[in-house]
Amino acid sequence: MCGIVGYIGTDSVRDIILKGLKRLEYRGYDSAGVAVKDGGQISLLKKKGRIEDLPKDEIPGSNIGIGHTRWATHGKPSDENAHPFLDCSGNISIIHNGIIDNFVSIKEDLIERGHQFTSETDSEVIAHLMEENYEGDMVDALQKTVEVLEGSYAIVAIHSKHDEIVAARDQSPLVVGVGDGENLLASDVPAILDHTQDVKYLQDGDIVRLKKDFVEIWDMDGNPVERETKTVDWTIEDAEKGGYEHYMMKEIHEQPQAIHDSILGRLKGFEKLDLKKYRIDSIRLIACGTSFHAALVGKYIIEEISGIPCMVEMASEYRYSSRLSEYPFTILLSQSGETADTLAAAKEASHRGCKTLGITNVLDSSLTREVDEVVYTQAGPEIGVAATKTFTTQLIVLYLVAIELGLMKRTLSVDKAETYRDELRRLPRLVEKILDKSEDIKELSKILAAAEDIFFVGRNINYPVALEGALKLKEIAYIHAAGYPAGELKHGPFALLTDDTPVISLCIKDNTFQKMLGNVGEIAARGSPIFGVGEKDKETEKLCDYHVHIPEVLPLFSPIIVNVVLQLFAYYTAYELGRDIDKPRNLAKSVTVE
Ligand code: G6P
């Protein structure tokens, strides 16, 4: 997830691009860079660090330029890996957001043909491919270039001899800002709002040419197309939240894209993660907070897919547990990679002689230096304190790790692995279906907002999802909530059930379904209002007072879908109560003290 800005017009690009990038800083901020057409050549300035670290005065005065703020995916944050990139001739400069899946083979071919690279990124191949494909027309060169790219991209490019900017998009956002005698390109609307409110949203496969007084667009088949110009009446602050009232809601809605990116990133990431070199007979998963819940779901995922026994521990507890003479492969999960308890647990695990894998969302974070192996989730920066899309992408990584382990241990057939990967690829669409139900969930949340205690119950792999649903509600709505395995309520918590105690019951059609319905029946008999979440089913609906349908999904993958329903319950309940959703009281996004 990176930020892109391009400008062509009559003003000096310097301030326009830097200001635009600043507005996109929420998309990533480990390095930044600018390329401008400076007479008949390209001037380039890029640096590790924040946008303020770019020496502004060194950017030449020009009316055509492109800028980028990076959130590293391939290659650590550094001056060399910062965008923009140049081709060998120095005439073409590009910036890219997305992931080029087949960059390794493209790069090898380009090197064989004499191209020299300056970075470890996947993006740099684009500049060199454009150089090879350039025969006088930049749109033509870009069209030929994207034909060989697999993955996702928003690409913006300039040439030292042309007064124009060209761009292409596929599965990464890119908008055109249509001004008066000036035109802009950006990953998101906030970057262009100072200049214009007229926006064209590009579609997947579109290629565009911007001159200062016109915009031409071609679709994926190369046919000229018109894309409607829409006028956005957002303030800058609205725009930074994508038009949502809170970052949390924006981040909930980013999950289909985040799932997609994490699958792409990981399928390629595995080229580097070689688990075969470790002896993995048992696994311990360690984390805090929402990441701990992902670890609990991970236990079910890994045991089911690979047959390897797993145990899960809270980081703050693990450190002081007895040192037994066993050396499980240890997986540490942390969105931020900076949580003090998790870092201390990582050190302790290594000290005890365990091999370790870190799963984190932040490149180069402290956790990455404490572990033997790292896998990144591709959620992009998460600003809301309550973790949403990062939990979802942690699960995606755990599914993919489990599939690798299953194949490695030969407990999973190649065919079954493909079935699982297909199901993973369906998830973004299934999450969209839940997001389409937001209005219904909002209505039901008005009932929850009146409660003082709420129970969440689930069985099997959805038991930890119940825990996460309860945590989300506590965090942002400040309502006491508890998650339980549905079969356990009768061993004590039943004493708390009244007709004012809603019970959110996760009724998924897995091998515990009939038992779950039995438990729901027991709860109903105590008079508690029951909010069912599950596939369409007459019997469930008879037992529940309210029901949110989820689409049919393999039960093993249901946590992703069910959890989105619970995120929406928490959000709308907190909203109804007027809570400070993005910055809940007493909490911090990253807890760096033990
Ligand atoms: C804090 C946050 C939680 C988060 C936990 C672990 O308590 O408020 O949302 O789940 O830390 O954070 P990590 O970055 O390690 O996943």
Side-chain angles (χ1 to χ4, degrees), residues 288-291 333-337 339 342 385-387 394 475 588-589 591:
C288 303
T290 291
S291 297
L333 293 109
S334 173
Q335 183 285 126
S336 60
T339 300
T342 311
V385 164
Q394 283 171 341
E475 281 180 298
K589 182 82 190 149
V591 182

Side-chain angles (χ1 to χ4, degrees), residues 203-263:
Q203 294 183 11
D204 282 345
D206 281 359
I207 290 198
V208 55
R209 187 197 316 264
L210 255 64
K211 299 263 188 190
K212 74 177 160 49
D213 34 29
F214 71 84
V215 175
E216 285 173 289
I217 305 175
W218 293 265
D219 67 12
M220 60 170 67
D221 302 317
N223 301 316
V225 279
E226 271 300 317
R227 297 286 175 226
E228 191 193 340
T229 305
K230 296 189 175 158
T231 303
V232 290
D233 54 3
W234 294 341
T235 63
I236 302 273
E237 208 205 345
D238 287 344
E240 280 173 353
K241 293 178 186 155
Y244 297 101
E245 232 177 298
H246 299 97
Y247 282 109
M248 180 179 176
M249 198 46 147
K250 175 169 177 271
E251 286 156 5
I252 288 174
H253 278 80
E254 280 169 354
Q255 290 179 113
Q257 181 77 43
I259 295 172
H260 175 269
D261 291 349
S262 294
I263 295 172

Side-chain angles (χ1 to χ4, degrees), residues 225-465:
V225 279
E226 271 300 317
R227 297 286 175 226
E228 191 193 340
T229 305
K230 296 189 175 158
T231 303
V232 290
D233 54 3
W234 294 341
T235 63
I236 302 273
E237 208 205 345
D238 287 344
E240 280 173 353
K241 293 178 186 155
Y244 297 101
E245 232 177 298
H246 299 97
Y247 282 109
M248 180 179 176
M249 198 46 147
K250 175 169 177 271
E251 286 156 5
I252 288 174
H253 278 80
E254 280 169 354
Q255 290 179 113
Q257 181 77 43
I259 295 172
H260 175 269
D261 291 349
S262 294
I263 295 172
L264 267 187
R266 289 292 51 79
L267 288 180
K268 195 158 71 139
F270 278 128
E271 288 161 16
K272 277 180 250 147
L273 176 67
D274 181 13
L275 292 172
K276 289 191 200 78
K277 61 184 181 216
Y278 301 106
R279 189 191 155 136
I280 307 182
D281 295 325
S282 64
I283 293 176
R284 178 180 270 130
L285 297 120
I286 302 178
C288 303
T290 291
S291 297
F292 172 71
H293 294 150
L296 286 174
V297 181
K299 170 183 159 71
Y300 289 85
I301 295 172
I302 295 172
E303 289 185 346
E304 171 74 24
I305 295 181
S306 74
I308 301 172
C310 296
M311 51 206 144
V312 187
E313 252 177 285
M314 277 182 192
S316 53
E317 288 297 307
Y318 169 73
R319 200 175 166 199
Y320 303 100
S321 61
S322 314
R323 292 186 175 197
L324 304 173
S325 56
E326 32 104 52
Y327 307 97
F329 186 72
T330 302
I331 302 180
L332 297 116
L333 293 109
S334 173
Q335 183 285 126
S336 60
E338 302 296 344
T339 300
D341 284 323
T342 311
L343 291 178
K347 282 195 184 97
E348 176 65 18
S350 298
H351 193 63
R352 291 183 190 187
C354 302
K355 292 294 170 198
T356 53
L357 163 68
I359 298 177
T360 181
N361 195 39
V362 182
L363 208 107
D364 246 13
S365 55
S366 304
L367 180 65
T368 64
R369 289 187 282 278
E370 299 295 342
V371 288
D372 298 304
E373 301 288 336
V374 183
V375 175
Y376 290 103
T377 48
Q378 303 286 343
E382 190 176 63
I383 294 169
V385 164
T388 51
K389 59 177 179 169
T390 53
F391 172 83
T392 298
T393 52
Q394 283 171 341
L395 294 193
I396 297 293
V397 168
L398 288 165
Y399 286 115
L400 289 163
V401 167
I403 292 171
E404 286 304 301
L405 290 170
L407 290 170
M408 195 173 107
K409 290 273 172 191
R410 297 180 195 276
T411 45
L412 180 70
S413 69
V414 172
D415 280 357
K416 191 89 182 174
E418 213 26 61
T419 307
Y420 286 156
R421 289 190 183 118
D422 284 346
E423 194 68 350
L424 282 172
R425 291 187 192 102
R426 278 179 73 223
L427 291 175
R429 257 183 301 127
L430 301 186
V431 170
E432 295 282 3
K433 287 190 177 173
I434 299 295
L435 297 176
D436 289 344
K437 293 179 189 290
S438 293
E439 279 307 309
D440 298 342
I441 298 173
K442 186 177 181 180
E443 278 309 303
L444 294 180
S445 302
K446 290 183 180 157
I447 310 172
L448 296 179
E452 282 179 13
D453 282 300
I454 299 180
F455 282 92
F456 287 74
V457 294
R459 292 188 77 120
N460 200 275
I461 196 167
N462 280 293
Y463 155 52
V465 179

Side-chain angles (χ1 to χ4, degrees), residues 4-7 65-67 84 93-97 126 130 138 142 154-158 165-168 174 185-186:
I4 283 179
V5 185
Y7 175 85
I66 57 179
S93 180
I94 70 102
I95 50 182
H96 165 234
N97 173 27
I126 299 167
M130 294 242 348
M138 282 290 278
L142 186 54
I155 301 167
V156 179
I158 52 173
I165 305 178
V166 297
L174 196 60
L185 276 159

Side-chain angles (χ1 to χ4, degrees), residues 4-64:
I4 283 179
V5 185
Y7 175 85
I8 179 163
T10 46
D11 287 345
S12 162
V13 290
R14 195 188 285 157
D15 288 329
I16 298 169
I17 290 189
L18 292 182
K19 207 164 165 191
L21 290 180
K22 196 78 198 126
R23 296 261 159 75
L24 296 177
E25 228 180 358
Y26 77 89
R27 299 180 63 82
Y29 39 76
D30 60 45
S31 51
V34 176
V36 301
K37 182 173 177 296
D38 182 14
Q41 58 182 24
I42 302 281
S43 282
L44 189 74
L45 188 67
K46 51 187 197 165
K47 243 184 152 11
K48 178 179 170 182
R50 302 189 83 113
I51 294 156
E52 297 79 59
D53 301 332
L54 272 182
K56 186 175 157 187
D57 297 341
E58 290 177 26
I59 304 173
S62 166
N63 314 118
I64 304 172

